[in-house]
Amino acid sequence: MSSKKRLVDLHTHSIASDGTDSPAELVKKAADAGLAAVALTDHDSLAGLDEAEDAASLHSIHFIRGVEIAVKDEFGELHIVGLWMPKIPSPHMLGALEQLQQNRRERNRHMLEVITGLGMPLDMEEVRAISGGGAIGRPHIALAMKKKGYVLDRKEAFDKYLGYKKKAYVPRILMTPEEGIGLLRDEGAVVVLAHPCLAPTMTEQRLDGILDEFRSYGLTAVEAYHSAHASEKVRLCVELAAKHKLLLSGGSDYHGDNKEGINIGSGMGGNVRIPVHVLEKLERYRLDSGLAV
Ligand code: AMP
Ligand code: ZN
Ligand code: FE
Ligand code: FE
């Protein structure tokens, strides 16, 4: 096995949510990048997993079924990734995902009303045309605004309108951390706190408290390696994970063309490099817990 084969990517998005690659294309890109394994972790959706799994067997790359959900936080939201989601989810899980999609649809409708009210008419069909048919999110609204000439780029759309507490921001109804972590844990998934240091509001003291609390709900791992984590953030995550006896995970958070500059397996200009032993430790933990890998 070449040395490149020793890298993995455990956080990616396809057109089933706000990425731009089909699940099969995404898996092919991961294989072409020489990765040993890839997880697909679309927001609130398991819809891309079967296609991705089929593509993985075709391209001889190990595939992990995943999902990403948002939970409530005093500064907005935190993201939780579930890895090794079951092929047949429980009715409870399917109901919860349907509810999240419903909350998303209502929030999107509301945001389009606000944007239209600001003198920038935009309707759902225009956003849906951009989304590729999966779960619609703010990145799609940003692209639609760009297409209509309301903003120059995605950054302007988020900075002025769509970002947390900006002019057209509408909160989504979210689960509490206890509910969200419990939901994934009860499916037998490895539960990962995604990109803990993405938000500038995260401090060492807060993260310390969050890990203490979330571990009691069933958190398994901390996503230390991520495109938005500078090396000192990676170190902080690694240290705090060790302190709280949590495992490590990592992923690029690849979104295809919807997040410029992030490549599958290597992140932003090569700033992400997740050795396969990170995955192997998660697998060992599962096997020791009597869970399938
Ligand atoms: P949603 O799931 O609809 O709440 O949208 C969340 C997505 O929007 C995330 O995956 C990010 O990629 C993107 N996003 C959130 N905040 C920003 C921001 N300030 N600038 C650019 N993209 C953002
Ligand atoms: Zn996303
Ligand atoms: Fe996220
Ligand atoms: Fe993500």
Side-chain angles (χ1 to χ4, degrees), residues 61-87:
I61 180 170
H62 185 58
F63 180 69
I64 297 126
R65 300 173 72 90
V67 71
E68 180 174 22
I69 61 171
V71 297
K72 265 183 237 171
D73 172 70
E74 58 179 308
F75 293 98
E77 56 186 59
L78 288 170
H79 291 188
I80 307 285
V81 160
L83 297 174
W84 286 278
M85 292 295 288
K87 198 161 174 79

Short mmCIF file of all heavy atoms in Angstrom, two decimals, residues 61-87:
data_model
loop_
_atom_site.label_atom_id
_atom_site.label_comp_id
_atom_site.label_asym_id
_atom_site.label_seq_id
_atom_site.Cartn_x
_atom_site.Cartn_y
_atom_site.Cartn_z
N ILE A 61 -12.35 1.43 -2.03
CA ILE A 61 -12.05 2.32 -0.92
C ILE A 61 -13.01 1.98 0.21
O ILE A 61 -14.17 1.61 -0.04
CB ILE A 61 -12.15 3.81 -1.35
CG1 ILE A 61 -11.82 4.76 -0.19
CG2 ILE A 61 -13.52 4.15 -1.94
CD1 ILE A 61 -11.67 6.23 -0.62
N HIS A 62 -12.50 2.04 1.44
CA HIS A 62 -13.35 1.72 2.59
C HIS A 62 -14.34 2.87 2.81
O HIS A 62 -13.94 4.02 2.75
CB HIS A 62 -12.46 1.50 3.82
CG HIS A 62 -13.22 1.06 5.02
ND1 HIS A 62 -13.99 -0.08 5.03
CD2 HIS A 62 -13.35 1.62 6.24
CE1 HIS A 62 -14.56 -0.21 6.22
NE2 HIS A 62 -14.18 0.81 6.97
N PHE A 63 -15.61 2.53 3.05
CA PHE A 63 -16.63 3.57 3.20
C PHE A 63 -17.31 3.48 4.57
O PHE A 63 -17.63 2.39 5.04
CB PHE A 63 -17.70 3.44 2.10
CG PHE A 63 -18.77 4.48 2.20
CD1 PHE A 63 -18.49 5.81 1.94
CD2 PHE A 63 -20.06 4.14 2.61
CE1 PHE A 63 -19.47 6.79 2.06
CE2 PHE A 63 -21.05 5.12 2.73
CZ PHE A 63 -20.74 6.45 2.46
N ILE A 64 -17.52 4.64 5.18
CA ILE A 64 -18.22 4.70 6.47
C ILE A 64 -19.47 5.55 6.30
O ILE A 64 -19.41 6.68 5.82
CB ILE A 64 -17.29 5.28 7.56
CG1 ILE A 64 -16.10 4.34 7.75
CG2 ILE A 64 -18.01 5.45 8.89
CD1 ILE A 64 -14.81 4.99 7.63
N ARG A 65 -20.59 4.97 6.71
CA ARG A 65 -21.88 5.68 6.61
C ARG A 65 -21.97 6.71 7.72
O ARG A 65 -21.84 6.37 8.90
CB ARG A 65 -23.04 4.68 6.74
CG ARG A 65 -23.04 3.58 5.69
CD ARG A 65 -24.12 2.53 5.98
NE ARG A 65 -25.45 3.05 5.73
CZ ARG A 65 -26.07 2.97 4.55
NH1 ARG A 65 -25.49 2.37 3.52
NH2 ARG A 65 -27.28 3.48 4.40
N GLY A 66 -22.20 7.98 7.35
CA GLY A 66 -22.24 9.02 8.37
C GLY A 66 -23.37 10.00 8.16
O GLY A 66 -24.16 9.92 7.21
N VAL A 67 -23.46 10.94 9.09
CA VAL A 67 -24.46 12.02 9.04
C VAL A 67 -23.95 13.16 9.91
O VAL A 67 -23.12 12.93 10.80
CB VAL A 67 -25.84 11.50 9.54
CG1 VAL A 67 -25.85 11.27 11.03
CG2 VAL A 67 -26.97 12.46 9.14
N GLU A 68 -24.40 14.39 9.65
CA GLU A 68 -24.04 15.52 10.51
C GLU A 68 -25.33 16.23 10.92
O GLU A 68 -26.16 16.54 10.06
CB GLU A 68 -23.11 16.50 9.77
CG GLU A 68 -22.71 17.72 10.62
CD GLU A 68 -21.67 18.64 9.94
OE1 GLU A 68 -21.57 18.61 8.70
OE2 GLU A 68 -20.99 19.39 10.66
N ILE A 69 -25.48 16.45 12.22
CA ILE A 69 -26.64 17.22 12.69
C ILE A 69 -26.15 18.38 13.55
O ILE A 69 -25.06 18.34 14.10
CB ILE A 69 -27.66 16.35 13.47
CG1 ILE A 69 -27.01 15.75 14.71
CG2 ILE A 69 -28.24 15.25 12.59
CD1 ILE A 69 -28.01 15.07 15.63
N ALA A 70 -27.00 19.41 13.63
CA ALA A 70 -26.67 20.57 14.46
C ALA A 70 -27.46 20.49 15.75
O ALA A 70 -28.60 20.02 15.76
CB ALA A 70 -27.01 21.85 13.70
N VAL A 71 -26.85 20.92 16.85
CA VAL A 71 -27.56 20.98 18.13
C VAL A 71 -27.42 22.39 18.71
O VAL A 71 -26.54 23.15 18.33
CB VAL A 71 -27.03 19.93 19.14
CG1 VAL A 71 -27.27 18.52 18.61
CG2 VAL A 71 -25.56 20.15 19.47
N LYS A 72 -28.33 22.71 19.62
CA LYS A 72 -28.38 24.05 20.22
C LYS A 72 -27.14 24.36 21.02
O LYS A 72 -26.61 23.50 21.72
CB LYS A 72 -29.56 24.10 21.20
CG LYS A 72 -30.83 24.66 20.63
CD LYS A 72 -31.89 24.72 21.73
CE LYS A 72 -33.07 23.92 21.28
NZ LYS A 72 -34.09 23.70 22.24
N ASP A 73 -26.75 25.62 20.95
CA ASP A 73 -25.61 26.09 21.74
C ASP A 73 -25.85 27.55 22.09
O ASP A 73 -26.54 28.25 21.36
CB ASP A 73 -24.33 25.95 20.88
CG ASP A 73 -23.13 26.58 21.54
OD1 ASP A 73 -22.67 26.02 22.55
OD2 ASP A 73 -22.66 27.63 21.07
N GLU A 74 -25.28 27.98 23.19
CA GLU A 74 -25.55 29.37 23.62
C GLU A 74 -25.07 30.40 22.59
O GLU A 74 -25.55 31.52 22.56
CB GLU A 74 -24.94 29.64 25.00
CG GLU A 74 -23.45 29.42 25.06
CD GLU A 74 -22.85 29.71 26.44
OE1 GLU A 74 -23.10 30.80 26.97
OE2 GLU A 74 -22.14 28.82 26.97
N PHE A 75 -24.10 30.02 21.74
CA PHE A 75 -23.62 30.94 20.70
C PHE A 75 -24.12 30.55 19.31
O PHE A 75 -23.45 30.78 18.32
CB PHE A 75 -22.10 31.01 20.69
CG PHE A 75 -21.53 31.65 21.93
CD1 PHE A 75 -21.06 30.86 22.97
CD2 PHE A 75 -21.49 33.03 22.06
CE1 PHE A 75 -20.54 31.44 24.12
CE2 PHE A 75 -20.98 33.62 23.21
CZ PHE A 75 -20.50 32.83 24.24
N GLY A 76 -25.28 29.88 19.21
CA GLY A 76 -25.80 29.48 17.91
C GLY A 76 -25.97 27.98 17.86
O GLY A 76 -26.89 27.42 18.44
N GLU A 77 -25.06 27.29 17.16
CA GLU A 77 -25.18 25.84 17.07
C GLU A 77 -23.82 25.16 17.09
O GLU A 77 -22.80 25.77 16.75
CB GLU A 77 -25.96 25.45 15.80
CG GLU A 77 -25.36 25.99 14.51
CD GLU A 77 -26.24 25.72 13.28
OE1 GLU A 77 -27.40 26.18 13.27
OE2 GLU A 77 -25.76 25.06 12.35
N LEU A 78 -23.83 23.92 17.52
CA LEU A 78 -22.64 23.07 17.43
C LEU A 78 -23.01 21.90 16.54
O LEU A 78 -24.19 21.53 16.45
CB LEU A 78 -22.23 22.57 18.81
CG LEU A 78 -21.60 23.62 19.75
CD1 LEU A 78 -21.48 23.06 21.16
CD2 LEU A 78 -20.23 24.06 19.23
N HIS A 79 -22.01 21.30 15.86
CA HIS A 79 -22.30 20.20 14.95
C HIS A 79 -21.80 18.88 15.50
O HIS A 79 -20.72 18.82 16.07
CB HIS A 79 -21.68 20.49 13.58
CG HIS A 79 -22.38 21.62 12.87
ND1 HIS A 79 -22.12 21.97 11.58
CD2 HIS A 79 -23.36 22.46 13.28
CE1 HIS A 79 -22.89 23.00 11.23
NE2 HIS A 79 -23.64 23.32 12.25
N ILE A 80 -22.60 17.86 15.28
CA ILE A 80 -22.29 16.52 15.75
C ILE A 80 -22.30 15.59 14.54
O ILE A 80 -23.25 15.60 13.76
CB ILE A 80 -23.38 16.02 16.73
CG1 ILE A 80 -23.63 17.02 17.87
CG2 ILE A 80 -23.06 14.64 17.27
CD1 ILE A 80 -22.57 17.07 18.91
N VAL A 81 -21.23 14.82 14.38
CA VAL A 81 -21.17 13.85 13.28
C VAL A 81 -21.37 12.45 13.86
O VAL A 81 -20.78 12.11 14.89
CB VAL A 81 -19.81 13.96 12.55
CG1 VAL A 81 -19.50 12.69 11.76
CG2 VAL A 81 -19.79 15.17 11.61
N GLY A 82 -22.21 11.67 13.20
CA GLY A 82 -22.38 10.26 13.56
C GLY A 82 -21.67 9.42 12.51
O GLY A 82 -21.89 9.63 11.31
N LEU A 83 -20.81 8.51 12.94
CA LEU A 83 -20.11 7.62 12.01
C LEU A 83 -20.57 6.18 12.27
O LEU A 83 -20.88 5.84 13.41
CB LEU A 83 -18.60 7.73 12.18
CG LEU A 83 -17.98 9.10 11.88
CD1 LEU A 83 -16.49 9.11 12.25
CD2 LEU A 83 -18.16 9.48 10.42
N TRP A 84 -20.57 5.36 11.23
CA TRP A 84 -21.09 3.98 11.29
C TRP A 84 -22.59 4.02 11.59
O TRP A 84 -23.09 3.34 12.49
CB TRP A 84 -20.35 3.12 12.33
CG TRP A 84 -18.99 2.72 11.90
CD1 TRP A 84 -18.66 1.69 11.08
CD2 TRP A 84 -17.75 3.35 12.27
NE1 TRP A 84 -17.29 1.63 10.90
CE2 TRP A 84 -16.71 2.65 11.62
CE3 TRP A 84 -17.41 4.45 13.06
CZ2 TRP A 84 -15.38 2.99 11.75
CZ3 TRP A 84 -16.09 4.79 13.19
CH2 TRP A 84 -15.08 4.08 12.56
N MET A 85 -23.28 4.83 10.83
CA MET A 85 -24.74 4.82 10.93
C MET A 85 -25.24 3.50 10.35
O MET A 85 -24.69 2.99 9.38
CB MET A 85 -25.33 5.99 10.14
CG MET A 85 -25.01 7.35 10.73
SD MET A 85 -25.74 7.59 12.36
CE MET A 85 -27.46 7.77 11.92
N PRO A 86 -26.28 2.92 10.95
CA PRO A 86 -26.75 1.62 10.47
C PRO A 86 -27.38 1.73 9.07
O PRO A 86 -27.89 2.77 8.69
CB PRO A 86 -27.81 1.23 11.50
CG PRO A 86 -28.25 2.51 12.10
CD PRO A 86 -27.07 3.43 12.07
N LYS A 87 -27.30 0.61 8.35
CA LYS A 87 -27.88 0.59 7.00
C LYS A 87 -29.40 0.73 7.08
O LYS A 87 -30.02 1.34 6.22
CB LYS A 87 -27.51 -0.74 6.31
CG LYS A 87 -27.67 -0.67 4.82
CD LYS A 87 -26.88 -1.77 4.11
CE LYS A 87 -27.18 -1.77 2.63
NZ LYS A 87 -26.48 -0.73 1.88
#
